[in-house]
């Protein structure tokens, strides 16, 4: 069994701060754990308003705190986000995420992230990225 602690992970290189200034994410479970998914605790900063398109990954996002909305670009639908909301990008949906206040999210990715991924110009993560190690 593997046991990790968020406060400790935040003090390590598992904490990735996005260069776009929109979010940071502590990647508590990664590809090298061989679970078939990765698990992250992500903070979306207040006022963030940005586009993502995970062409290479499926992602589910559970809101633990904060308020915002997610908009799917294919149909222009907007879905409010508040504590308890889970949105599931089952169709690799291109989307915009807006944070009206700071949001704390629990995120799962399939396939798992390697560790150091940040969004490329398309708002996607590459399948090959640098790993992090404890
Ligand atoms: C909700 C979302 O996709 N935020 C971007 C960061 C991502 N959750 C990650 O890399 O942990």
């Amino acid at each position: 069994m593997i046991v990790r602690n968020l406060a400790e992970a935040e003090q390590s290189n598992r904490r990735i701060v996005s260069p776009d200034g929109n979010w940071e994410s502590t990647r508590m479970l990664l590809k090298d754990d061989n679970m078939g998914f990765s698990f992250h605790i992500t903070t979306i900063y207040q006022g963030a308003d940005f586009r993502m398109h995970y062409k290479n990954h499926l992602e589910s996002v559970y809101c633990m705190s904060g308020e915002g909305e997610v908009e799917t670009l294919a149909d222009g639908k907007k879905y409010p986000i508040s504590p308890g909301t889970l949105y599931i990008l089952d169709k690799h949906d291109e989307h915009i995420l807006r944070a009206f206040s700071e949001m704390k999210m629990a995120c799962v990715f399939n396939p798992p992230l390697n560790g150091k991924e940040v969004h490329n110009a398309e708002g996607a993560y590459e399948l090959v990225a640098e790993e992090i190690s404890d």
Side-chain angles (χ1 to χ4, degrees), residues 91-105:
K91 298 187 172 57
H92 299 275
D93 315 67
E94 187 173 10
H95 62 289
I96 295 173
L97 184 61
R98 301 187 179 97
F100 305 142
S101 60
E102 180 180 282
M103 296 194 293
K104 296 275 185 192
M105 320 294 251

Side-chain angles (χ1 to χ4, degrees), residues 2 29-38 109 112:
I2 302 165
L29 164 61
L30 285 163
K31 183 177 181 181
D32 66 354
D33 294 309
N34 296 311
M35 291 292 287
F37 59 89
S38 59
F109 278 82

Side-chain angles (χ1 to χ4, degrees), residues 33-91:
D33 294 309
N34 296 311
M35 291 292 287
F37 59 89
S38 59
F39 179 84
H40 320 161
I41 299 298
T42 299
T43 302
I44 311 292
Y45 301 140
Q46 181 172 21
D49 183 334
F50 62 111
R51 187 184 62 83
M52 288 171 275
H53 193 186
Y54 292 122
K55 293 178 176 178
N56 303 316
H57 297 84
L58 298 168
E59 186 197 20
S60 290
V61 182
Y62 177 78
C63 176
M64 299 183 288
S65 65
E67 307 282 337
E69 68 179 13
V70 59
E71 176 177 348
T72 41
L73 292 187
D75 56 11
K77 281 192 184 167
K78 293 179 183 178
Y79 302 86
I81 299 172
S82 61
T85 305
L86 175 70
Y87 67 86
I88 302 163
L89 301 166
D90 63 322
K91 298 187 172 57

